[in-house]
Amino acid sequence: LSTQDEDGELDGKPGIAGQRGKFLAAPLIASLTWKYYQNTQDEVFLAEVFPKLIKFFWSWFSGIHDRNRDGAPEWDNILQTGFEDNPLFDVWHPWSQGLDISLVHSPSLEAMLYREAQSLAKIAKKLGKPAEETSLVISQAETLKTSVEASWNPRTSFYTYRERETGLASTGKLIAKRKGEGNMRPKFESETPVRLLIEIHTKDPGAKRPEVEISEYFTKSKGEVEIIPGHQFQWRTGGLVATSQKIFNRIGRINVIGLDEKDKITVSIIDTNGEDITLALPLWAEMPEKQKAYAMIGRNVMMAERFDRPFGMQFLPLSPDPEAETVSMSVSLPCNMLIAEGLLAYGFRAEATRLTAHLMNAIIQNLKQNRAFYQRYHAEKGAGIGERNSLHGLAPVGLFMQALGVTILSSTRVKLEGKNLFPWPVTVKYKGLTIVRGMEQTTITFVNGESIIVKEETPCIVEM
């Protein structure tokens, strides 16, 4: 929060020497603040940061991030998502599409913003703020919920990315290709407007960036025309890629200038149908109604054919390319943790416990074999992937305690709920307090030696 600028924006990767990542932080700050307060009851801190949290929330809805002003912003940079290898948007892998991420609605971002709004409302209520102070925030949350609901695919019981302007999912389709510069006449028509992906395939590392002109009709005198200048193309593995800024119902002519005769150009409809585990984040934000949540959990989250694996939920349900295994089979602990919290919120405690055990198995295996945490873990093998001793790879103690059904309020107060669903007894020690949670009962021993045994599964608070 100390990096906040006058527009309310927070840098996504601030450094202690004044370095800046120069992209907006993912909207998780209010959610973190509320979680911190629940553990510390630090109301002074809550009051101090509340105005900054409100300002940060609204910074996401400026025209820079909500480009068509529909109340549902878009990501600016793939780094904000926590999944920088996403094949829909990444440009460094040969199997990736390279679509501009700011041109689609992402359920993950909308889920985070919705959760932020709910957290801000809880903070305001705790601070005794008048309802009017957060009424606009709650109204904005409803707009986000409507957008997320529009992303629901009943056929797959999962959420999907949608094109920003039309609000529709689109399937990739090649409409024109050629070698070298010159004209193409695709004669393409569509009932719904589509956005185009222009790819340049070249083996020359010093290839020039071409200029591409897209026209609705063969003649320039009528219809929509878009010129994609060279600077709009981004370098990618095997060439260059750009996304059209306009959407088209028909294409009559495509003209490319400045392309070497050996280079190839392909023009396709963008594909937004790629699936990844971040699309399940509305579950964490408690957005879907129970029926949809149950369908998504049963058909996607906890299905081995989709995401569920021995060491956690992988990023992609299916690898688009054999060489993409490391990316598709990667397990992100932060993302898995959020979805596990969603499972708990919808009453799937056994499933959340099993997922927690899977994640812990990967972590323990690497600590034993390599004495290190890793940025990510392989979903089938449990091997560490990426940066060694990354914070992202630390054991999720909070999730473990939630799945166990134990909340330590202080060294003399403990909240218990449900029963231990792990296949072994768990011992927790904290400031002289010892909690032994077996299969049938929980024994709490306080620092003064007093012991209390609890057998009931209904939520209760035990204190010295």
Side-chain angles (χ1 to χ4, degrees):
L1 289 171
S2 63
T3 71
Q4 192 168 52
D5 65 18
E6 57 186 20
D7 296 322
E9 296 199 354
L10 298 172
D11 190 80
K13 198 172 183 182
I16 56 174
Q19 311 98 315
R20 295 291 180 264
K22 296 185 179 178
F23 56 86
L24 190 58
L28 294 164
I29 315 296
S31 305
L32 284 169
T33 303
W34 180 246
K35 182 167 278 194
Y36 167 78
Y37 171 75
Q38 286 176 300
N39 282 275
T40 64
Q41 300 296 304
D42 187 351
E43 207 163 306
V44 174
F45 175 75
L46 215 56
E48 179 190 335
V49 300
F50 180 69
K52 295 180 180 181
L53 297 176
I54 286 276
K55 209 173 176 185
F56 172 59
F57 175 79
W58 285 118
S59 72
W60 266 102
F61 296 90
S62 71
I64 302 170
H65 312 294
D66 183 9
R67 294 155 181 84
N68 59 353
R69 294 288 193 174
D70 64 351
E74 305 83 34
W75 291 117
D76 310 309
N77 190 313
I78 195 171
L79 293 174
Q80 295 169 301
T81 68
F83 184 20
E84 60 270 22
D85 295 316
N86 192 323
L88 276 187
F89 313 110
D90 168 65
V91 295
W92 297 113
H93 297 295
W95 62 81
S96 295
Q97 179 178 208
L99 171 63
D100 182 346
I101 199 169
S102 69
L103 297 172
V104 297
H105 281 302
S106 299
S108 59
L109 173 59
E110 293 166 355
M112 288 182 190
L113 285 165
Y114 181 85
R115 177 84 177 214
E116 289 288 274
Q118 303 302 316
S119 299
L120 287 169
K122 290 173 184 174
I123 293 169
K125 186 176 181 181
K126 179 56 65 176
L127 295 173
K129 303 282 184 183
E132 303 81 56
E133 199 159 333
T134 53
S135 59
L136 281 176
V137 171
I138 296 302
S139 174
Q140 200 70 48
E142 289 307 308
T143 301
L144 292 163
K145 190 171 185 178
T146 301
S147 184
V148 165
E149 285 304 302
S151 299
W152 177 256
N153 184 340
R155 184 177 58 82
T156 59
S157 296
F158 207 51
Y159 291 100
T160 185
Y161 294 101
R162 296 180 299 122
E163 198 282 319
R164 189 180 75 196
E165 303 303 326
T166 64
L168 301 172
S170 61
T171 302
K173 179 185 176 183
L174 180 69
I175 64 170
K177 64 177 181 177
R178 71 165 288 139
K179 262 190 177 184
E181 63 180 23
N183 278 319
M184 293 175 276
R185 298 187 66 176
K187 295 181 181 178
F188 169 81
E189 290 191 33
S190 172
E191 287 184 14
T192 55
V194 296
R195 198 179 292 277
L196 303 177
L197 189 80
I198 301 94
E199 296 177 90
I200 308 298
H201 307 273
T202 177
K203 294 180 180 178
D204 181 4
K208 293 180 182 177
R209 301 185 190 209
E211 180 178 284
V212 177
E213 183 181 71
I214 304 169
S215 305
E216 274 194 299
Y217 297 90
F218 186 71
T219 57
K220 288 185 180 181
S221 56
K222 60 178 183 175
E224 193 78 62
V225 177
E226 179 179 357
I227 295 174
I228 300 176
H231 66 79
Q232 204 170 307
F233 281 89
Q234 187 176 2
W235 288 105
R236 63 168 298 172
T237 302
L240 299 143
V241 64
T243 313
S244 70
Q245 296 302 300
K246 293 182 179 180
I247 53 177
F248 296 87
N249 279 97
R250 57 175 293 149
I251 308 290
R253 182 176 59 85
I254 300 170
N255 183 40
V256 55
I257 303 168
L259 200 63
D260 188 273
E261 60 181 17
K262 293 181 181 178
D263 297 338
K264 296 177 185 177
I265 177 172
T266 59
V267 180
S268 314
I269 299 170
I270 65 166
D271 193 338
T272 65
N273 288 316
E275 294 178 314
D276 63 78
I277 196 60
T278 70
L279 293 171
L281 284 182
L283 194 70
W284 167 69
E286 299 178 49
M287 298 178 86
E289 58 189 36
K290 283 187 177 181
Q291 189 177 357
K292 284 183 180 177
Y294 294 172
M296 181 164 69
I297 293 165
R299 294 185 61 191
N300 293 280
V301 175
M302 301 311 295
M303 263 195 83
E305 294 81 5
R306 297 285 285 159
F307 293 101
D308 188 30
R309 291 292 187 275
F311 293 97
M313 290 183 291
Q314 62 191 50
F315 265 130
L316 304 175
L318 293 170
S319 172
D321 187 296
E323 295 178 11
E325 184 193 341
T326 302
V327 172
S328 65
M329 297 299 284
S330 289
V331 172
S332 161
L333 257 63
C335 190
N336 272 249
M337 189 189 75
L338 297 181
I339 294 167
E341 288 185 0
L343 289 171
L344 288 167
Y346 282 93
F348 286 80
R349 200 154 152 258
E351 290 77 5
T353 303
R354 187 164 69 89
L355 174 57
T356 305
H358 287 176
L359 298 175
M360 294 299 291
N361 287 340
I363 294 163
I364 292 164
Q365 175 180 305
N366 281 275
L367 284 175
K368 284 182 176 179
Q369 293 177 359
N370 307 311
R371 299 177 182 272
F373 297 99
Y374 282 86
Q375 185 179 8
R376 292 173 186 160
Y377 299 94
H378 194 285
E380 289 283 357
K381 304 169 186 173
I385 295 173
E387 186 184 339
R388 185 182 169 96
N389 286 327
S390 165
L391 287 174
H392 285 187
L394 288 175
V397 180
L399 173 62
F400 183 86
M401 295 292 281
Q402 287 180 68
L404 185 62
V406 175
T407 305
I408 298 175
L409 302 171
S410 73
S411 60
T412 59
R413 293 182 82 226
V414 179
K415 182 180 179 182
L416 301 176
E417 50 191 322
K419 64 178 184 177
N420 178 13
L421 297 178
F422 288 103
W424 17 255
V426 176
T427 301
V428 180
K429 295 187 177 183
Y430 174 78
K431 293 186 177 180
L433 175 72
T434 301
I435 303 160
V436 179
R437 185 139 238 227
M439 306 307 193
E440 304 299 330
Q441 66 180 40
T442 302
T443 304
I444 301 170
T445 306
F446 294 102
V447 67
N448 65 354
E450 178 189 351
S451 290
I452 296 175
I453 296 174
V454 178
K455 295 184 178 180
E456 293 79 18
E457 294 182 24
T458 51
C460 64
I461 291 178
V462 181
E463 53 188 323
M464 187 171 74

